[in-house]
Amino acid sequence: MREFVQTELKPHDRAIEETGEVPEVAMAGLRKMGLFGTNTPKQFGGLGLTMLGSCIAIEELAKAHTAFYYLSGVNVHIGSKAIELFAKSEVRDRWLPELASGRVIGAFALTEPNAGSDVARIQTTARRDRDRYILDGTKTYITNAPVAGVFTVFATLDPSAGARGIAAFAVDAKTPGLGIGRVVEMVAGRGSAHAEVIFENCRVPRENLLGQEGEGFAIAMRCLDAGRTHWGAYCVGAASQLLDYALDHVSAREAFGRKLRDHQGIEWQIADMASALHAARLVAYEAAWRYDQGDAAARTAAAALSKYTGADMVQRVADTTMQLFGGAGYSRDLPIERIWRETRVVRILDGTSEIMRQIIARNAFRAHERRNAPP
């Protein structure tokens, strides 16, 4: 993975940032390496890696332009995971090999204009009509929407039921009534697209229901556990790349008659970065290991901790690296400002840092109550 990223992906970083397009030769490389299905079972064409193996691969992938991760890594967790785990056999067999190979890219249609962290407030509706469900509503900020071949869509069958009224569906992008709306220009993430997805009398076959009616919220959270675990590893990879840039720079640059690295103030900054990165890496690896053990509560808590820890760490490392480089770091001559922009979003997507803190705190309270429960 390290060799592939350095020789076949990173050379395209600047061109992607300038053109907003990922070259087909790079896409072919992602497919050849199996990065659209790292954690997908081998029987469906994936690499069949454990979550820990998948996270180690993503850690390296994060050292190149974020577009590569949005297209392939996001496809593995929230793009295809619901189909892998909850689809009926005919739907799973139809889509999962296509998703794992990268011939089709999946998208996760959950967020709405008036429902982000509060998933229970989604307003996209689904109603049964004989052998179909009819979807109506609008999603927004949907990653990969313009290029997706299949969407995992969340809609409410009963708004009064809150989270218990939500259902999930696998929806072919070619289904009549499904349209791509406005493409939203983001601060970073050139080469990947985020857009509105509009459903107007979109008729979905009943067999495309994922799981059972009312299980949509749980399905979404199950996919987000995978996404948060992967994002923790992504932050580690991006920060590792930044630290390498910083180490090279302070080892080569001189100020006041000495290398920057020989100034104690610089040493302390490098120490802080290295310490935070090492701690976040261990948290990320534990989250991946917890995911592989199959304990749902431990998986969710560890995933939240990893994403929260990683998102905070990588932003501090990016900011410090930029400071060490001075004006050069803030310029677009170097990739530092790009990585600084790219990693900021991790505190928002797949559950904000505020939501991660809520999960972490509630888990801490539960653990405290168990320890102090009377015999």
Side-chain angles (χ1 to χ4, degrees), residues 107-231:
F108 188 79
L110 177 63
T111 301
E112 297 184 2
N114 295 312
S117 296
D118 189 358
V119 175
R121 288 178 56 86
I122 64 172
Q123 297 173 338
T124 297
T125 60
R127 57 185 176 88
R128 290 184 295 275
D129 183 26
R130 296 187 293 275
D131 62 344
R132 304 267 171 174
Y133 288 91
I134 301 175
L135 306 185
D136 288 283
T138 299
K139 303 292 184 176
T140 193
Y141 307 136
I142 306 304
T143 302
N144 294 332
V147 297
V150 62
F151 291 84
T152 297
V153 181
F154 297 88
T156 179
L157 291 160
D158 180 6
S160 67
R164 293 187 297 276
I166 298 172
F169 306 88
V171 184
D172 189 326
K174 297 178 181 177
T175 305
L178 187 159
I180 304 301
R182 181 176 66 95
V183 175
V184 183
E185 185 174 353
M186 298 294 194
V187 169
R190 296 273 288 169
S192 58
H194 313 267
E196 295 176 333
V197 183
I198 301 168
F199 301 92
E200 295 180 328
N201 197 36
C202 181
R203 304 177 71 85
V204 179
R206 193 159 189 168
E207 60 267 22
N208 284 33
L209 175 70
L210 300 174
Q212 303 297 319
E213 292 184 357
E215 291 182 349
F217 181 85
I219 291 171
M221 296 305 107
R222 179 73 170 81
C223 295
L224 290 173
D225 282 347
R228 292 163 183 170
T229 305
H230 274 167
W231 277 114

Side-chain angles (χ1 to χ4, degrees), residues 21-32:
E21 300 290 336
V22 176
E24 181 52 39
V25 65
M27 290 292 289
L30 293 170
R31 295 186 188 104
K32 182 179 179 181

Side-chain angles (χ1 to χ4, degrees), residues 232-256:
Y234 177 91
C235 290
V236 167
S240 179
Q241 179 69 90
L242 288 163
L243 181 58
D244 282 346
Y245 288 147
L247 290 169
D248 287 342
H249 179 67
V250 301
S251 297
R253 183 73 178 262
E254 292 186 4
F256 306 104

Side-chain angles (χ1 to χ4, degrees), residues 231-303:
W231 277 114
Y234 177 91
C235 290
V236 167
S240 179
Q241 179 69 90
L242 288 163
L243 181 58
D244 282 346
Y245 288 147
L247 290 169
D248 287 342
H249 179 67
V250 301
S251 297
R253 183 73 178 262
E254 292 186 4
F256 306 104
R258 290 187 294 169
K259 300 284 189 186
L260 289 180
R261 63 180 292 170
D262 295 328
H263 293 266
Q264 187 180 64
I266 301 299
E267 286 184 318
W268 287 5
Q269 288 178 296
I270 294 296
D272 288 346
M273 295 164 70
S275 299
L277 171 59
H278 184 68
R281 177 179 278 116
L282 295 180
V283 174
Y285 288 178
E286 188 204 359
W289 179 80
R290 294 283 182 192
Y291 187 100
D292 289 329
Q293 302 313 299
D295 183 322
R299 176 189 68 222
T300 297

